[in-house]
Amino acid sequence: MRAPAFALRALALTTAALFAALTLPPSAARAVPEPHAPREFVALRTVDPTILQDMRYTTAHNFVGAPVDGYRQPVCILTRPAALALRRAQRTMLRRGYSLKVYDCYRPQRAVDHFVRWAEDLTDVRTKQEFYPRVDKTRLFVDGYIARKSGHSRGSTVDLTIVRLPTAPPPPYVPGQPLVPCYAPQAERFPDDSLDMGTGFDCFDTLSHTDDPRIRGTQRTNRRFLEDTLSAFGFVNLPEEWWHFTFAPEPFPDTYFDFPVSRTSLDQPRRHRPSRTFPM
């Protein structure tokens, strides 16, 4: 029995399309457009170039021990309201002879996924001596140091510290150099021009809790200085991390973005419709 003519034509078209797809150059087959930031996101440097930036996740000096997925350039990206609030806080700091310094700002979901993969790999303990000396890696999820979602991915959360002016950039981290516990005395820890906060940034230890009673004297005063200054401009501290603050109200309280950290993510044209979000 002969097939109808329309069926033969459809088969021919399908075969032709399949052949064309199979013969595409590899670069064309892989070309998937990256998501871009909504218009509400800005580079902090365009709002306030005086705020210092030490973007740790573009380097190997972080608890993963390598540049983190999604961090293409060392640029702090935030929602515009959060960036403007930081600018107001910075003016207060500058009048007193200090500056804010950011370690991390917007964080794409792919970076959070990288953290999760790292935490699940119990054989990778190369950074333990600095970032989590007293915590077994099997407890990173249970104790809340690693989570599958981060407020940073909503764009209004920032990790930061205070620097006394004038300052010189600290020496760069050299992979393989000896690691020192993040809660060691400041003179022994990795060199950082931050005020002494009692621990380094991203220290997985209860000493990082903002109000830990073991933190006293100058270290406690410095933490209060940071929290009091930022809270006056709408930021709320995460009690488990002295460096972690979220601007409220957040423009995107229920959306987790995944555009990469790079200047091109902010290029026009942009739409309020990211290619990959995670509504809660």
Side-chain angles (χ1 to χ4, degrees), residues 60-61 126-127 129-131 170-180 188-192:
H61 187 222
R126 54 188 151 161
T127 65
Q129 184 59 29
E130 178 174 1
F131 292 98
Y173 170 74
V174 178
Q177 73 184 63
L179 301 179
V180 177
E188 299 175 16
R189 299 196 304 260
F190 177 79
D192 189 351

Side-chain angles (χ1 to χ4, degrees), residues 61-280:
H61 187 222
N62 58 66
F63 60 85
V64 173
V68 177
D69 289 356
Y71 285 85
R72 307 281 177 80
Q73 294 175 315
V75 54
C76 171
I77 297 174
L78 289 169
T79 60
R80 187 178 298 277
L84 292 173
L86 271 191
R87 182 174 69 179
R88 293 191 289 271
Q90 174 73 344
R91 289 172 178 172
T92 296
M93 287 290 177
L94 292 175
R95 285 195 294 269
R96 300 181 64 173
Y98 298 92
S99 174
L100 296 172
K101 181 174 79 168
V102 297
Y103 294 116
D104 191 35
C105 304
Y106 157 75
R107 180 185 304 165
Q109 180 62 39
R110 68 189 74 182
V112 179
D113 296 342
H114 189 171
F115 293 169
V116 170
R117 291 194 305 273
W118 168 82
E120 290 175 339
D121 181 2
L122 301 182
T123 66
D124 185 354
V125 292
R126 54 188 151 161
T127 65
K128 179 177 176 60
Q129 184 59 29
E130 178 174 1
F131 292 98
Y132 54 108
R134 295 190 287 213
V135 178
D136 192 277
K137 199 174 183 183
T138 60
R139 296 198 57 82
L140 293 182
F141 289 105
V142 176
D143 292 347
Y145 294 113
I146 299 293
R148 298 182 186 277
K149 289 286 187 291
S150 169
H152 282 274
S153 302
R154 302 193 298 261
S156 296
T157 294
V158 59
D159 293 336
L160 74 173
T161 189
I162 302 172
V163 172
R164 187 189 301 274
L165 297 176
T167 186
Y173 170 74
V174 178
Q177 73 184 63
L179 301 179
V180 177
C182 53
Y183 48 74
Q186 186 180 37
E188 299 175 16
R189 299 196 304 260
F190 177 79
D192 189 351
D193 51 357
S194 167
L195 297 185
D196 186 3
M197 298 291 183
T199 77
F201 166 61
D202 263 355
C203 186
F204 295 176
D205 195 277
T206 53
L207 280 171
S208 295
H209 293 187
T210 306
D211 291 324
D212 188 286
R214 293 168 293 176
I215 300 297
R216 300 176 181 177
T218 300
Q219 297 171 344
R220 190 170 189 84
T221 298
N222 291 339
R223 290 189 184 190
R224 290 273 73 82
F225 182 22
L226 178 62
E227 184 177 11
D228 291 347
T229 300
L230 290 178
S231 64
F233 297 97
F235 288 91
V236 179
N237 175 242
L238 179 68
E240 291 77 19
E241 299 177 351
W242 61 258
W243 57 81
H244 179 118
F245 290 84
T246 298
F247 178 75
E250 296 183 64
F252 301 101
D254 302 310
T255 306
Y256 296 76
F257 295 92
D258 193 46
F259 58 87
V261 176
S262 70
R263 297 177 187 87
T264 56
S265 293
L266 299 168
D267 289 346
Q268 299 293 333
R270 289 183 277 149
R271 299 178 180 178
H272 180 95
R273 190 178 61 186
S275 298
R276 183 185 178 206
T277 63
F278 297 81
M280 295 293 286

